[in-house]
Amino acid sequence: MGGGTHRPTMDLLRSEPMQLVQLIIPIESAHRSISYLGDLGFFQFKDLNSEKSPFQRTYATQIKRCGEMARKLRFFKEQMTKAGLSPSTRSAMSDDVDLDNLEVKHGELEAELMEMNANHEKLQHSYNELIEYKLVVQKAGEFFHSAQSIAAAKQREVEAQQRGEGSIDSPLLLEQEMVTDPSKQVKLGFVTGLVPREKSLAFERILFRATRGNVFLKQSVLEGSVTDPASGEKAEKNVFVFFYSGERARIKIVKICEAFGANRYPFIEDLSKQFQIITEVSGRLEELKTTIDVGLVHQTNLLQTIAYHFEQWSHLVKKEKSIYHTLSMLSIDVTKKCLVAEGWCPVFATNKIQNVLQRATVDSNSQIGTIFHILQTKESPPTYFQTNKFSSAFQEIVDAYGIAKYQEANPGVFTIITFPFLFAVMFGDWGHGICLFLATSYFIIKEKKFSSQKLGDITEMIFGGRYVIMMMALFSIYTGLIYNEFFSVPFELFGPSAYGCRDPACRDASTAGLVKVCATYPFGVDPKWHGTRSELPFLNSLKMKMSILLGVAQMNLGIILSYFNAKFSGNELNIRYQFLPQMIFLNSLFGYLSLLIVVKWCIGSQADLYHVMIYMFLSPTDDLGENQLFFGQKFLQIVLLLAALVAVPWMLFPKPFLLKKQHEERHRGQSYALLENSLDESDEMEVRHGSSSHEEFEFSEIFVHQLIHTIEFVLGAVSNTASYLRLWALSLAHSELSSVFYDKVLLLAWGFNNIFILIIGIFVFICATVGVLLVMETLSAFLHALRLHWVEFQNKFYEGDGYKFQPFSFASLDAEDE
């Protein structure tokens, strides 16, 4: 039980020391022990039953019960959502609820809600049918009343015409028509109902074709929409009346109505019975409406009761399910009285884990305590970095590339500074930086509100990286002040410019024709150095050289971190034959270039550094002439060139041969140290290799691997240095875009002396600034800074092939989806 005196280190550079622990837990205290460990959140369980299927595990029945309860809770939530209710956050979280009683209660509530829903659906279906029936009776009654009125009017018109214009033949013909045998008259049938309006034309066309035109249709458009009884959805419908002749026509019409979803309703031609039906239907509708309202009130009250306890029940069910999932990962002792657990935990949490296990034993009234035993293992532990809400986003940037190996140097601690700084080098404008800072300040001020809400994908991503964006904004303000750019406009913030014109002819912003008239500008770039756009201004030359300096510095940092990784793991071969030649090669070439840049700045020389570096390789013994920056430069260049040439075989040849020698010595047993009282770390490494000592040593494979590594570093040193020039390129692009929007939009609109054009110009300038410079350029600079960290920086030392420490914890249960 040693190691309990360790305390949290909050060390981001190295992951927390981990240990593999075995727990022997009595059955009677197992549930409470796992629960307490979940509350603590510092123990990652290993699955000791991985060969078993989920249905073969000990606690499969309990997991199934919890899953069924979770299903019922989802059903409750769906019902609450339909009723416009949300779970109450005021209910007290208590774990004292008995799971068996809760399961029974959930079953009763589900049965009651399902019965209510079934009754409500039946009543609502009847109500919607009666509504449609009432509309059909009203509209069809209007059809028949109108038809009868028209027929009566025509009859009177004919009779009047016959009395006024009578002839000898007319009475005889009229009498012949009137005395026709009633048995020979054709009786027309009719069908009434409602059809969806969007289907009415097709409905009419199909009926006409199916009956070969032997049908008469009358339709009436209903105002507003009605609820369809079958689907329960609102729909716009038409009332129709079909007149037909013959049983076959009726059968066809009925089938077509069913195919088009047209609801048919009976209709009586007797006007008095129509009024009676409407009255009865209206009364029935009022009764149904009252019954439905009472049922909804009762259902709402029940759902409000469920909503009040929903969060507590949901948390409890998720907690119980996770506990039983964890218990299923444990193996049962042969006596079936204990459960055996294995897992990883931080060394600093040893005392806390032992305390909660002891408390679980006391609370369970168990006579036997849990046994806490530290295991020795060759397995690589998980990686655990303790982070907070500020550093977690930067750690996620590193973890997206790969999880650090156990005790591997963590780039996250450097990313906190280097990532926003490299972003700001590309984005540097203190006006744009202020805009970014104001935007992210809103998320930081309202973080309590946003953290408790469900956000959209993009909003959640921005909120999660709010502190990254804040650091990016602050560094952008800083580099913007150095560049002296505020929406591309230079200001004399820290005093007047040190340069002035010799004569009135040099009134442009070019550095040509300017002389120094006062003290050097105290901070950042002198406003006059921005220059014209027709030639390479001094500021752009400064940014290009600064990009090289930053790139070489960060690559050197990566190589230094590879030294710490090798030192920590005791790998002397990597220190001697990887770290040293890499440092010599990189700095013999690009470190020397960085030195020349700094010396040139300090002495104000006009030397051509391109010429110096090219002829350092082509003609290293030639005189430098006007390109010489300091005494002994030619001799230093020859020494550095020779050192760079020596560094390449230094990286390539020694390590494979030394590994082969070590393997042979281990084979002969000459590399084993004497065992004294205990094994130290190096002895443990030898023991680990003992099991594989009889394996064949593939020298060719090792040599090819080292060759690839050497070629990759040599070529990468050149390509990575060139890759850092993206800092200059994107900074130039950002500055040019900002200048174009300012000159060609804002100033151009200002020059028209028209308030309307000025307002349009300001609007276009704001939209362009926000859309292009604050959104697209921010994303572009972010991605390029990400690439510089993942590729140019981390490939020097970071393997990222570890796995993350994921302890069993209840802290994130409410955020997880079932």
Side-chain angles (χ1 to χ4, degrees), residues 124 128 131 198 224-228 231-237:
Q124 193 67 45
N128 294 333
I131 289 287
E198 68 272 9
S225 58
V226 295
T227 304
D228 187 77
S231 64
E233 297 178 355
K234 292 282 187 179
E236 294 181 341
K237 293 190 175 185

Side-chain angles (χ1 to χ4, degrees), residues 238-272:
N238 293 350
V239 174
F240 64 85
V241 177
F242 276 110
F243 293 94
Y244 62 89
S245 175
E247 181 64 19
R248 292 181 62 185
R250 187 190 70 81
I251 294 174
K252 290 181 180 180
I253 292 173
V254 169
K255 289 182 178 180
I256 293 173
C257 287
E258 292 175 353
F260 277 83
N263 299 326
R264 295 174 292 109
Y265 295 96
F267 180 77
I268 300 177
E269 297 182 50
D270 190 345
L271 187 60
S272 60

Side-chain angles (χ1 to χ4, degrees), residues 496-627:
S497 172
Y499 297 89
C501 292
R502 290 195 190 97
D503 52 66
C506 69
R507 287 179 295 176
D508 61 1
S510 174
T511 55
L514 298 178
V515 294
K516 193 170 184 178
V517 296
C518 61
T520 303
Y521 194 70
F523 182 81
V525 175
D526 192 290
K528 296 292 185 182
W529 284 0
H530 281 261
T532 62
R533 304 299 174 187
S534 60
E535 59 185 29
L536 182 66
F538 183 83
L539 178 58
N540 290 335
S541 177
L542 171 69
K543 290 180 179 179
M544 180 179 64
K545 293 180 174 64
M546 185 179 64
S547 300
I548 296 175
L549 293 178
L550 292 174
V552 173
Q554 192 174 37
M555 287 191 292
N556 271 287
L557 175 61
I559 297 175
I560 292 172
L561 288 176
S562 72
Y563 165 78
F564 285 111
N565 280 337
K567 191 72 175 176
F568 187 84
S569 61
N571 193 336
E572 293 294 331
L573 287 181
N574 280 350
I575 295 176
R576 294 176 185 174
Y577 305 106
Q578 181 172 311
F579 165 72
L580 290 177
Q582 285 180 355
M583 287 291 290
I584 291 172
F585 181 85
L586 180 67
N587 291 294
S588 295
L589 302 180
F590 302 106
Y592 175 62
L593 174 61
S594 302
L595 175 65
L596 294 180
I597 291 172
V598 174
V599 172
K600 181 180 177 181
W601 283 346
C602 293
I603 66 176
S605 173
Q606 298 297 318
D608 186 357
L609 300 186
Y610 298 106
H611 183 277
V612 173
M613 293 303 297
I614 290 173
Y615 283 91
M616 177 180 173
F617 292 92
L618 298 181
S619 302
T621 58
D622 289 355
D623 282 342
L624 297 174
E626 62 181 9
N627 291 323

Side-chain angles (χ1 to χ4, degrees), residues 622-638:
D622 289 355
D623 282 342
L624 297 174
E626 62 181 9
N627 291 323
Q628 182 167 338
L629 295 175
F630 54 88
F631 176 76
Q633 181 179 352
K634 184 174 75 171
F635 175 74
L636 178 61
Q637 287 185 179
I638 294 174

